[in-house]
Amino acid sequence: MKVTIVGAGNVGATCADVISYRGIASEVVLLDIKEGFAEGKALDIMQCATNTGFNTKVSGVTNDYSKTAGSDVVVITSGIPRKPGMTREELIGINAGIVKTVAENVLKYSPDTIIVVVSNPMDTMTYLALKSTGLPKNRIIGMGGALDSSRFRTYLSLALDKPANDISAMVIGGHGDTTMIPLTRLASYNGIPVTQFLSEEVLQKVAADTMVGGATLTGLLGTSAWYAPGASVAYLVDSILNDQKKMIACSVFVEGEYGQNDICIGVPCIIGKNGVEEILAIDLNDQEKALFTKSADAVRSMNDALKSILV
C-alpha cells in the first residue's frame, strides 16, 4: 500500500513518521515544493528504522508528482499554517489555489486514489477538492473531526482523571473555533455517560477548551500544532488502507444528511477501503440540531469565497 503526503512540513512529516513506525503502509512518499526539504525529512525518518523496527519505505521528492504514481491514499497538507491571531477562515484565499492545483496533479498519476484533506480552512478545502476534481464524494475526506474528537477525549480525560483511551466522545460540525460541536451528552467513560461523573459546568468548560484547542496550541507554539494532527491523519489513513471500518467524525459531502446539502461538514462516518462507506445518523436533540444548523450556515458562507476559483 502506498501513501503520498503532499507538504513535508510539521504535520505532513509527523503523519509520515506515524504511518511508518506503525507499519500502516509499505511505502510513503513525501512531496514538497521546497528544494530538498521532503528528501531531508524522508531520510531522517528512514534513519529511525533500525531503532524503531519498521520496514516502511519512505522517500522524498521536490515537486515531482510522477513519483506519487499509484498512491492508494493522498494526504494534502499543503498551504500556510495558522499564525497567532489568525483564524482558519483567513487562510481561504491563500490555500484554495494550492489545494486545487495539488489535487489536480496527484490525480494525473493516481486516478483511483482517495484524497484526505488537512489544509485549512479544512471544510472549505475539502469542498473545493471535491468540486474541482469531480471525484465521487466517498473519495474526498476532510480529517478535522478526527483531530477535534481526539482533543475532546483528551480534555475529558483530564477532567475525569482517567485514560483517554477509555473515553468515547465525538465532535461534529465545522472544523472551526466557533463551528465545532463537542457532543458532551453522548460522551462516555467505558460505556458510562460522563454526565454521571462531571457537572454541567465542567462539561461546558471541556467543550469550550476543545473548540479553541487548535488556537490554544497556536498561541503557545507560535504556529499550528503538528503531533496530534499528524497522528489523526495516520489514524484515518489506517482505517482506509486496512479496511478497518472505524467510525470517525470526518468532513464529507452531505446530501440531505442532518438536514444539510451541498457542503462538506463533520459527521460520523464509517471509513474503509472505499473511503467514506457510510454516514451514520445520530439522534441529536433540539439544541444540538440548532448548533449543527448554525455550524453548517457558517461553513456554507465560507464556501461562497470559492465561487471565482470553481468557475
Side-chain angles (χ1 to χ4, degrees):
M1 292 291 187
K2 181 175 181 178
V3 176
T4 286
I5 301 169
V6 183
N10 288 335
V11 174
T14 300
C15 178
D17 188 42
V18 175
I19 288 174
S20 300
Y21 73 69
R22 287 187 56 198
I24 292 171
S26 56
E27 182 179 0
V28 175
V29 176
L30 272 171
L31 183 148
D32 203 278
I33 61 171
K34 184 178 178 181
E35 186 71 37
F37 191 62
E39 291 88 339
K41 290 288 184 78
L43 183 59
D44 196 14
I45 293 171
M46 281 294 287
Q47 290 172 357
C48 298
T50 56
N51 295 322
T52 58
F54 71 79
N55 296 302
T56 302
K57 177 185 176 183
V58 186
S59 60
V61 62
T62 301
N63 220 30
D64 182 359
Y65 283 87
S66 67
K67 302 297 184 182
T68 72
S71 295
D72 298 282
V73 175
V74 172
V75 177
I76 302 177
T77 74
S78 304
I80 66 166
R82 278 203 296 174
K83 298 177 181 178
M86 178 183 284
T87 66
R88 292 182 176 93
E89 292 78 6
E90 289 174 314
L91 299 177
I92 292 177
I94 300 170
N95 287 351
I98 297 172
V99 171
K100 183 174 183 288
T101 300
V102 168
E104 292 169 350
N105 282 330
V106 296
L107 286 173
K108 292 177 184 177
Y109 299 97
S110 302
D112 299 320
T113 196
I114 293 170
I115 294 177
V116 175
V117 179
V118 183
S119 307
N120 277 316
M122 192 217 58
D123 301 292
T124 301
M125 295 301 103
T126 304
Y127 182 81
L128 170 68
L130 178 74
K131 291 295 184 177
S132 64
T133 62
L135 288 180
K137 63 181 183 179
N138 62 295
R139 289 172 54 195
I140 302 284
I141 307 171
M143 61 68 68
L147 171 60
D148 298 333
S149 298
S150 176
R151 287 172 172 161
F152 186 26
R153 292 170 66 190
T154 297
Y155 284 117
L156 284 170
S157 76
L158 293 172
L160 290 164
D161 193 25
K162 298 294 189 295
N165 286 327
D166 286 348
I167 297 168
S168 177
M170 182 178 295
V171 175
I172 61 172
H175 179 58
D177 299 351
T178 61
T179 55
M180 65 179 75
I181 306 163
L183 294 173
T184 54
R185 180 178 63 89
L186 300 177
S188 64
Y189 165 59
N190 277 334
I192 304 172
V194 297
T195 52
Q196 293 190 24
F197 304 99
L198 301 175
S199 68
E200 180 60 27
E201 181 182 3
V202 171
L203 285 172
Q204 287 181 2
K205 184 178 187 308
V206 166
D209 288 344
T210 300
M211 293 175 72
V212 297
T216 298
L217 287 164
T218 301
L220 291 169
L221 298 169
T223 186
S224 296
W226 59 89
Y227 292 123
S232 296
V233 179
Y235 179 78
L236 180 59
V237 171
D238 193 10
S239 194
I240 296 169
L241 291 184
N242 294 299
D243 196 26
Q244 294 175 339
K245 302 190 187 303
K246 291 178 180 176
M247 181 174 69
I248 306 174
C250 298
S251 183
V252 299
F253 189 72
V254 291
E255 295 178 294
E257 294 91 351
Y258 294 88
Q260 300 299 325
N261 284 282
D262 195 35
I263 57 170
C264 291
I265 192 169
V267 290
C269 301
I270 300 299
I271 303 297
K273 64 181 180 180
N274 298 311
V276 181
E277 302 199 343
E278 183 181 358
I279 295 175
L280 299 177
I282 297 177
D283 188 15
L284 302 178
N285 63 27
D286 289 342
Q287 180 184 18
E288 291 158 351
K289 288 178 182 177
L291 288 172
F292 194 86
T293 299
K294 182 179 178 182
S295 177
D297 289 344
V299 171
R300 188 173 287 106
S301 68
M302 285 194 292
N303 290 350
D304 291 341
L306 298 175
K307 289 180 180 178
S308 60
I309 297 173
L310 291 171
V311 171

mmCIF file of all heavy atoms in Angstrom, residues 82 88 151 155 177 208-225:
data_model
loop_
_atom_site.group_PDB
_atom_site.id
_atom_site.type_symbol
_atom_site.label_atom_id
_atom_site.label_comp_id
_atom_site.label_asym_id
_atom_site.label_seq_id
_atom_site.Cartn_x
_atom_site.Cartn_y
_atom_site.Cartn_z
ATOM 1 N N ARG A 82 -1.597 28.320 10.324
ATOM 2 C CA ARG A 82 -2.097 29.473 11.065
ATOM 3 C C ARG A 82 -1.003 30.098 11.913
ATOM 4 O O ARG A 82 -0.158 29.420 12.472
ATOM 5 C CB ARG A 82 -3.247 29.049 11.997
ATOM 6 C CG ARG A 82 -4.575 28.942 11.306
ATOM 7 C CD ARG A 82 -5.714 29.087 12.285
ATOM 8 N NE ARG A 82 -5.757 28.012 13.274
ATOM 9 C CZ ARG A 82 -6.599 27.995 14.298
ATOM 10 N NH1 ARG A 82 -7.436 28.997 14.480
ATOM 11 N NH2 ARG A 82 -6.608 26.994 15.137
ATOM 12 N N ARG A 88 -8.827 30.138 10.857
ATOM 13 C CA ARG A 88 -8.754 29.221 9.723
ATOM 14 C C ARG A 88 -9.388 29.865 8.481
ATOM 15 O O ARG A 88 -8.960 29.642 7.358
ATOM 16 C CB ARG A 88 -9.462 27.915 10.066
ATOM 17 C CG ARG A 88 -8.764 27.076 11.131
ATOM 18 C CD ARG A 88 -9.509 25.763 11.373
ATOM 19 N NE ARG A 88 -8.815 24.902 12.329
ATOM 20 C CZ ARG A 88 -9.052 24.895 13.624
ATOM 21 N NH1 ARG A 88 -9.952 25.711 14.124
ATOM 22 N NH2 ARG A 88 -8.394 24.078 14.429
ATOM 23 N N ARG A 151 -8.919 15.724 20.672
ATOM 24 C CA ARG A 151 -8.737 16.787 21.657
ATOM 25 C C ARG A 151 -9.860 16.754 22.693
ATOM 26 O O ARG A 151 -9.622 16.954 23.904
ATOM 27 C CB ARG A 151 -8.686 18.140 20.951
ATOM 28 C CG ARG A 151 -7.380 18.349 20.204
ATOM 29 C CD ARG A 151 -7.378 19.592 19.348
ATOM 30 N NE ARG A 151 -6.042 19.843 18.810
ATOM 31 C CZ ARG A 151 -5.788 20.626 17.766
ATOM 32 N NH1 ARG A 151 -6.788 21.252 17.149
ATOM 33 N NH2 ARG A 151 -4.543 20.791 17.349
ATOM 34 N N TYR A 155 -9.352 16.361 26.793
ATOM 35 C CA TYR A 155 -9.855 17.258 27.832
ATOM 36 C C TYR A 155 -10.799 16.537 28.789
ATOM 37 O O TYR A 155 -10.798 16.811 30.003
ATOM 38 C CB TYR A 155 -10.542 18.469 27.203
ATOM 39 C CG TYR A 155 -9.570 19.487 26.646
ATOM 40 C CD1 TYR A 155 -9.535 19.789 25.286
ATOM 41 C CD2 TYR A 155 -8.683 20.156 27.489
ATOM 42 C CE1 TYR A 155 -8.635 20.718 24.781
ATOM 43 C CE2 TYR A 155 -7.781 21.097 26.988
ATOM 44 C CZ TYR A 155 -7.765 21.367 25.638
ATOM 45 O OH TYR A 155 -6.878 22.290 25.156
ATOM 46 N N ASP A 177 -13.120 27.215 15.281
ATOM 47 C CA ASP A 177 -13.194 27.538 16.702
ATOM 48 C C ASP A 177 -14.613 27.810 17.176
ATOM 49 O O ASP A 177 -14.919 27.637 18.359
ATOM 50 C CB ASP A 177 -12.327 28.764 16.997
ATOM 51 C CG ASP A 177 -10.867 28.535 16.668
ATOM 52 O OD1 ASP A 177 -10.501 27.382 16.379
ATOM 53 O OD2 ASP A 177 -10.088 29.514 16.679
ATOM 54 N N ALA A 208 -15.687 24.053 25.689
ATOM 55 C CA ALA A 208 -15.072 25.327 25.287
ATOM 56 C C ALA A 208 -13.586 25.158 25.013
ATOM 57 O O ALA A 208 -13.058 25.701 24.032
ATOM 58 C CB ALA A 208 -15.300 26.375 26.373
ATOM 59 N N ASP A 209 -12.905 24.393 25.859
ATOM 60 C CA ASP A 209 -11.474 24.150 25.655
ATOM 61 C C ASP A 209 -11.228 23.380 24.367
ATOM 62 O O ASP A 209 -10.231 23.616 23.668
ATOM 63 C CB ASP A 209 -10.896 23.371 26.842
ATOM 64 C CG ASP A 209 -10.781 24.209 28.108
ATOM 65 O OD1 ASP A 209 -10.857 25.447 28.005
ATOM 66 O OD2 ASP A 209 -10.629 23.613 29.192
ATOM 67 N N THR A 210 -12.113 22.446 24.071
ATOM 68 C CA THR A 210 -11.999 21.669 22.837
ATOM 69 C C THR A 210 -12.120 22.566 21.616
ATOM 70 O O THR A 210 -11.332 22.462 20.665
ATOM 71 C CB THR A 210 -13.086 20.579 22.781
ATOM 72 O OG1 THR A 210 -12.930 19.691 23.893
ATOM 73 C CG2 THR A 210 -13.005 19.792 21.486
ATOM 74 N N MET A 211 -13.077 23.451 21.645
ATOM 75 C CA MET A 211 -13.343 24.304 20.485
ATOM 76 C C MET A 211 -12.178 25.227 20.166
ATOM 77 O O MET A 211 -11.936 25.545 19.002
ATOM 78 C CB MET A 211 -14.627 25.102 20.723
ATOM 79 C CG MET A 211 -15.872 24.228 20.765
ATOM 80 S SD MET A 211 -17.386 25.129 21.175
ATOM 81 C CE MET A 211 -17.647 26.072 19.668
ATOM 82 N N VAL A 212 -11.460 25.653 21.173
ATOM 83 C CA VAL A 212 -10.299 26.526 20.928
ATOM 84 C C VAL A 212 -8.993 25.751 21.093
ATOM 85 O O VAL A 212 -7.930 26.346 21.280
ATOM 86 C CB VAL A 212 -10.317 27.768 21.858
ATOM 87 C CG1 VAL A 212 -11.530 28.617 21.576
ATOM 88 C CG2 VAL A 212 -10.263 27.347 23.327
ATOM 89 N N GLY A 213 -9.085 24.423 20.999
ATOM 90 C CA GLY A 213 -7.896 23.600 21.199
ATOM 91 C C GLY A 213 -6.769 23.932 20.245
ATOM 92 O O GLY A 213 -5.602 24.000 20.636
ATOM 93 N N GLY A 214 -7.102 24.136 18.972
ATOM 94 C CA GLY A 214 -6.082 24.494 17.987
ATOM 95 C C GLY A 214 -5.504 25.864 18.232
ATOM 96 O O GLY A 214 -4.286 26.076 18.162
ATOM 97 N N ALA A 215 -6.378 26.830 18.528
ATOM 98 C CA ALA A 215 -5.923 28.202 18.779
ATOM 99 C C ALA A 215 -5.060 28.276 20.031
ATOM 100 O O ALA A 215 -4.090 29.047 20.091
ATOM 101 C CB ALA A 215 -7.131 29.126 18.910
ATOM 102 N N THR A 216 -5.393 27.467 21.030
ATOM 103 C CA THR A 216 -4.598 27.433 22.258
ATOM 104 C C THR A 216 -3.164 27.015 21.959
ATOM 105 O O THR A 216 -2.198 27.633 22.417
ATOM 106 C CB THR A 216 -5.218 26.460 23.271
ATOM 107 O OG1 THR A 216 -6.531 26.916 23.624
ATOM 108 C CG2 THR A 216 -4.364 26.362 24.528
ATOM 109 N N LEU A 217 -3.028 25.977 21.147
ATOM 110 C CA LEU A 217 -1.699 25.493 20.797
ATOM 111 C C LEU A 217 -0.963 26.481 19.901
ATOM 112 O O LEU A 217 0.252 26.654 20.023
ATOM 113 C CB LEU A 217 -1.809 24.132 20.107
ATOM 114 C CG LEU A 217 -2.164 22.985 21.065
ATOM 115 C CD1 LEU A 217 -2.633 21.762 20.299
ATOM 116 C CD2 LEU A 217 -0.976 22.639 21.939
ATOM 117 N N THR A 218 -1.691 27.127 18.995
ATOM 118 C CA THR A 218 -1.069 28.137 18.143
ATOM 119 C C THR A 218 -0.489 29.270 18.990
ATOM 120 O O THR A 218 0.612 29.765 18.737
ATOM 121 C CB THR A 218 -2.073 28.699 17.133
ATOM 122 O OG1 THR A 218 -2.566 27.632 16.316
ATOM 123 C CG2 THR A 218 -1.441 29.753 16.243
ATOM 124 N N GLY A 219 -1.238 29.670 20.014
ATOM 125 C CA GLY A 219 -0.757 30.718 20.904
ATOM 126 C C GLY A 219 0.471 30.297 21.684
ATOM 127 O O GLY A 219 1.382 31.097 21.914
ATOM 128 N N LEU A 220 0.520 29.030 22.094
ATOM 129 C CA LEU A 220 1.650 28.530 22.872
ATOM 130 C C LEU A 220 2.885 28.279 22.007
ATOM 131 O O LEU A 220 4.013 28.555 22.419
ATOM 132 C CB LEU A 220 1.262 27.229 23.579
ATOM 133 C CG LEU A 220 0.232 27.339 24.703
ATOM 134 C CD1 LEU A 220 -0.256 25.948 25.118
ATOM 135 C CD2 LEU A 220 0.819 28.069 25.908
ATOM 136 N N LEU A 221 2.651 27.754 20.803
ATOM 137 C CA LEU A 221 3.757 27.322 19.947
ATOM 138 C C LEU A 221 4.217 28.387 18.962
ATOM 139 O O LEU A 221 5.332 28.332 18.444
ATOM 140 C CB LEU A 221 3.352 26.070 19.156
ATOM 141 C CG LEU A 221 3.018 24.822 19.976
ATOM 142 C CD1 LEU A 221 2.381 23.763 19.082
ATOM 143 C CD2 LEU A 221 4.267 24.266 20.646
ATOM 144 N N GLY A 222 3.315 29.327 18.661
ATOM 145 C CA GLY A 222 3.639 30.330 17.648
ATOM 146 C C GLY A 222 3.317 29.868 16.242
ATOM 147 O O GLY A 222 3.551 30.587 15.270
ATOM 148 N N THR A 223 2.789 28.666 16.104
ATOM 149 C CA THR A 223 2.359 28.117 14.812
ATOM 150 C C THR A 223 1.352 27.012 15.091
ATOM 151 O O THR A 223 1.088 26.687 16.253
ATOM 152 C CB THR A 223 3.560 27.569 14.017
ATOM 153 O OG1 THR A 223 3.123 27.178 12.715
ATOM 154 C CG2 THR A 223 4.181 26.365 14.708
ATOM 155 N N SER A 224 0.811 26.416 14.053
ATOM 156 C CA SER A 224 -0.164 25.350 14.236
ATOM 157 C C SER A 224 0.479 24.132 14.893
ATOM 158 O O SER A 224 1.684 23.889 14.758
ATOM 159 C CB SER A 224 -0.771 24.942 12.892
ATOM 160 O OG SER A 224 -1.490 26.008 12.321
ATOM 161 N N ALA A 225 -0.340 23.346 15.585
ATOM 162 C CA ALA A 225 0.120 22.098 16.189
ATOM 163 C C ALA A 225 0.440 21.086 15.099
ATOM 164 O O ALA A 225 0.032 21.245 13.944
ATOM 165 C CB ALA A 225 -0.956 21.548 17.118
#
